[in-house]
Amino acid sequence: MTPIAITMMVIAILTVWGGLALALLNLKRHPEDEGALPEEHAPEL
Amino acid sequence: MSDPSSSRAAPAKRETFSTRRLFILSAIGSAVGLGNIWRFPYIAYDNGGGAFLIPYLVALLTAGIPLLFLDYAVGHKYRGSAPLAYRRLHRAAEPLGWWQVLVCFVIAAYYAVIVAWSLMYTIYSFTEAWGDDAEGYFFGTFLNVSEAPGVGFNYVPSVFFPLLLIWIAVIIIMVAGIRKGISRANSILLPLLMVMFLLLVIQSLFLPGATEGLNAFFTPDWQALADPSVWAAAYGHIFFSLSVGYGIMVTYSSYLKRRTDLTGSGVVVAFSNSGFEILAGIGVFAALGFMAQAAGAGVNDVVTQGIGLAFVAFPTIVSQAPFGALMGVLFFGSLVFAGVTSLISVLEVIVAAVQDKLAWGRVKASLVVSGLVAAVSLGLFPTATGLYLLDTSDAFVNSFGITLGALVTVVVLAWFLRKLPLLSAHLNRTSTIKMRRAWMVLIGGVVPLVLIYLVSNEFMSKISTTYEGYPEWFVGLFGWGMAGGLVVLALALTFIPWSRKSKAHHDPEYQSIVDEEEEESAR
């Protein structure tokens, strides 16, 4: 691959998957409100 | 389901996703569809290659994610199917919901057909049934496409029966409901899709010529950034890719628990969708690089999208690649799984609306609705003329159903009913990523302007020449006529009264939420 193509590939992967990683981290830091959990769990899950 | 706090004889409680994780999986399953695999790679390549990343990310952040939040806010605040949610927002907004329901009807009818083709091609991959002429095989032998567009009832069994099978599977999922059907299907199919697609990408990267494909895909053409059509392509793609603006996310978020992190979940969904697209770009272009090398041609000579990519280019690659059969199964299997998880989300929009309007139970509504869509789908599309109909309805429902519908919805909500402050407050009540003014400016300003530009472009191109050179009566009837018919029908459905037992009239569960929220804001 050419250096410029590699650079753009790395930037694309870092921004998009990095964005996903940050979004997941944010979600993990704020777990579901226990009070908002369902009364019963679906048995299959 | 029992609720000890309420002893009133209330209508059945609204179903919910049992966890936030299952909602996110289902929303990703909906957003990740055929478009991510067969549309994004080409759009990116054709609009600046690596440089496309910039307009793409800008479109995602300034329009895609804000619109996703808008859908979530409407569905979650008003806790109903699209027509009921918009009606609760404002009486006059109900037709918007029906319009979205009808758009989903059209999409579901033809989308299932492509899933059926993919199912057949998963099987054909074992024998490479297309021989050395993938194009001739697909259009001639497999689809048996007639010379000219028209309406015919010359059925093609090799499409009809797999389509029937897909519909049976989908109807079973729909009847089972949100927890046992949709959640379960997504929690099985989505991880399976990810694993299969990852294997496909790895296999593609090891093909000779793969690097040439990646060079073609990622080499930036910075000049493209000065071209407005490149930016329009980025916004257009983001709208279609995220499944925003036609009721899906309104419907899914109406099944969320009350205190759910809407924006935090939405950002995960949006970036997962984009992450999958980037992966698809890498896999598809690595494979196209191999195809070009095998043909002794440049990547630009073999590059294609949509049906041509999936059913002509990929079969050719499967025939030439080492372990081609495996590659075919991974690719077409991915299309089937990505398609099914999107198809059920499209159908849910219609099922939920009928359930709400007529106060029908889950089983009855899913059977009648899915049965009706299946009948239309099976009746019109697996025929010798079905491809023309599919192509025309897809083009027009995208331009004048989804895009125009999204424009009208945003303008009505933001400019006429001025509901954005209310919806923004709802998003901020329970969510971790807070956007107040910025979100309102994007939804009330940037998004409508971009949509006006996109819709007028579509309008100009479709009136200047008859679509694809098909006969005028055909495009008039199944293109313009269908798109206009949806609007008329949406108004007509609004005038049909809601069942006296429906949640529009009596919904203690929703009422208690409204009361509680009023109390909260009065404090």
Side-chain angles (χ1 to χ4, degrees):
Chain A
M1 277 179 82
T2 59
I4 182 72
I6 293 175
T7 312
M8 289 315 292
M9 182 167 86
V10 170
I11 293 175
I13 288 174
L14 283 182
T15 47
V16 175
W17 291 353
L20 175 60
L22 286 178
L24 283 169
L25 202 68
N26 170 60
L27 209 60
K28 208 171 176 147
R29 277 212 204 115
H30 302 90
E32 260 178 304
D33 183 353
E34 289 298 320
L37 285 174
E39 311 82 67
E40 76 249 87
H41 286 278
E44 76 280 5
L45 299 166
Chain B
M1 214 186 289
S2 68
D3 181 3
S5 67
S6 156
S7 56
R8 282 174 293 183
K13 262 186 91 175
R14 191 167 187 78
E15 259 201 292
T16 50
F17 285 104
S18 51
T19 62
R20 178 173 72 179
R21 195 181 129 264
L22 284 173
F23 163 74
I24 293 174
L25 274 180
S26 303
I28 297 173
S30 170
V32 171
L34 301 174
N36 296 60
I37 300 173
W38 78 13
R39 191 170 186 275
F40 171 78
Y42 179 85
I43 296 289
Y45 165 83
D46 197 38
N47 290 283
F52 185 71
L53 185 67
I54 293 167
Y56 176 81
L57 286 176
V58 170
L60 178 69
L61 296 173
T62 59
I65 291 176
L67 269 174
L68 194 63
F69 290 172
L70 177 69
D71 278 357
Y72 282 179
V74 171
H76 190 250
K77 181 171 174 64
Y78 298 104
R79 296 187 71 80
S81 59
L84 179 59
Y86 284 109
R87 179 191 164 93
R88 281 174 172 167
L89 181 137
H90 193 285
R91 274 287 172 103
E94 186 183 331
L96 295 173
W98 289 113
W99 194 5
Q100 298 178 347
V101 167
L102 292 167
V103 164
C104 287
F105 193 106
V106 175
I107 294 174
Y110 72 75
Y111 202 83
V113 180
I114 304 169
V115 180
W117 297 344
S118 308
L119 182 65
M120 281 315 276
Y121 266 65
T122 312
I123 299 163
Y124 288 165
S125 295
F126 288 103
T127 57
E128 288 163 17
W130 45 81
D132 49 14
D133 178 17
E135 185 166 4
Y137 183 83
F138 179 70
F139 293 105
T141 316
F142 178 60
L143 292 187
N144 195 12
V145 176
S146 67
E147 297 263 312
V151 186
F153 295 95
N154 185 3
Y155 286 97
V156 182
S158 56
V159 182
F160 184 90
F161 289 104
L163 182 58
L164 185 64
L165 206 67
I166 293 290
W167 276 113
I168 292 171
V170 166
I171 289 175
I172 292 171
I173 296 173
M174 298 311 292
V175 167
I178 299 300
R179 289 193 185 187
K180 292 188 177 150
I182 291 179
S183 299
R184 194 190 279 183
N186 277 296
S187 58
I188 296 168
L189 295 183
L190 195 68
L192 214 53
L193 166 66
M194 295 299 164
V195 171
M196 284 173 60
F197 205 78
L198 209 59
L199 290 176
L200 173 73
V201 172
I202 293 169
Q203 192 181 0
S204 303
L205 286 174
F206 282 102
L207 292 173
T211 50
E212 276 318 301
L214 294 181
N215 277 338
F217 184 62
F218 281 112
T219 302
D221 167 17
W222 300 111
Q223 306 282 317
L225 297 184
D227 182 352
S229 73
V230 167
W231 290 81
Y235 277 93
H237 181 76
I238 285 290
F239 285 131
F240 295 131
S241 179
L242 273 180
S243 308
V244 285
Y246 54 107
I248 294 177
M249 291 303 165
V250 172
T251 308
Y252 268 8
S253 60
S254 77
Y255 297 121
L256 272 173
K257 297 270 154 196
R258 284 200 50 217
R259 297 202 174 271
T260 301
D261 181 354
L262 293 176
T263 55
S265 310
V267 174
V268 171
V269 172
F271 274 95
S272 302
N273 178 62
S274 294
F276 189 87
E277 283 188 329
I278 298 284
L279 196 65
I282 294 172
V284 164
F285 269 84
L288 287 174
F290 164 74
M291 183 180 170
Q293 199 195 51
V299 176
N300 58 326
D301 295 319
V302 298
V303 71
T304 160
Q305 65 166 332
I307 290 172
L309 174 72
F311 298 101
V312 178
F314 253 91
T316 310
I317 294 165
V318 166
S319 295
Q320 293 164 343
F323 306 105
L326 171 68
M327 193 167 184
V329 171
L330 291 175
F331 178 77
F332 291 108
S334 295
L335 286 183
V336 173
F337 292 162
V340 167
T341 51
S342 299
L343 180 59
I344 54 182
S345 71
V346 172
L347 272 178
E348 181 57 29
V349 175
I350 324 171
V351 171
V354 169
Q355 254 187 300
D356 280 347
K357 183 101 173 181
L358 302 176
W360 282 3
R362 175 80 208 179
V363 175
K364 185 177 175 189
S366 351
L367 278 178
V368 171
V369 166
S370 315
L372 193 65
V373 186
V376 171
S377 179
L378 286 161
L380 291 177
F381 292 99
T383 65
T385 46
L387 183 63
Y388 299 110
L389 187 60
L390 190 154
D391 184 30
T392 308
S393 38
D394 178 48
F396 279 79
V397 88
N398 277 329
S399 308
F400 307 114
I402 297 181
T403 319
L404 181 61
L407 171 63
V408 175
T409 305
V410 170
V411 166
V412 167
L413 262 54
W415 297 357
F416 290 98
L417 303 177
R418 300 186 173 272
K419 292 287 183 185
L420 296 190
L422 198 68
L423 294 169
S424 163
H426 182 80
L427 285 174
N428 288 328
R429 263 184 81 233
T430 52
S431 300
T432 51
I433 299 170
K434 310 216 187 274
M435 306 169 73
R436 283 173 228 275
R437 185 144 305 159
W439 180 74
M440 287 191 264
V441 169
L442 291 172
I443 291 290
V446 175
V447 170
L449 291 180
V450 172
L451 284 169
I452 287 171
Y453 182 81
L454 291 176
V455 171
S456 43
N457 259 354
E458 284 299 318
F459 192 73
M460 295 303 185
S461 78
K462 289 210 167 68
I463 52 166
S464 59
T465 48
T466 314
Y467 180 69
E468 292 285 327
Y470 293 163
E472 272 180 33
W473 69 268
F474 187 80
V475 176
L477 186 62
F478 297 107
W480 297 106
M482 177 273 295
L486 298 188
V487 178
V488 176
L489 207 55
L491 291 169
L493 286 168
T494 306
F495 285 107
I496 296 178
W498 291 71
S499 156
R500 270 186 295 128
K501 282 182 280 176
S502 86
K503 294 193 173 180
H505 296 303
H506 179 60
D507 187 354
E509 193 187 349
Y510 174 68
Q511 197 53 48
S512 73
I513 295 171
V514 174
D515 295 344
E516 200 178 303
E517 275 175 21
E518 269 171 13
E519 223 170 84
E520 214 171 90
S521 59
R523 247 183 269 148

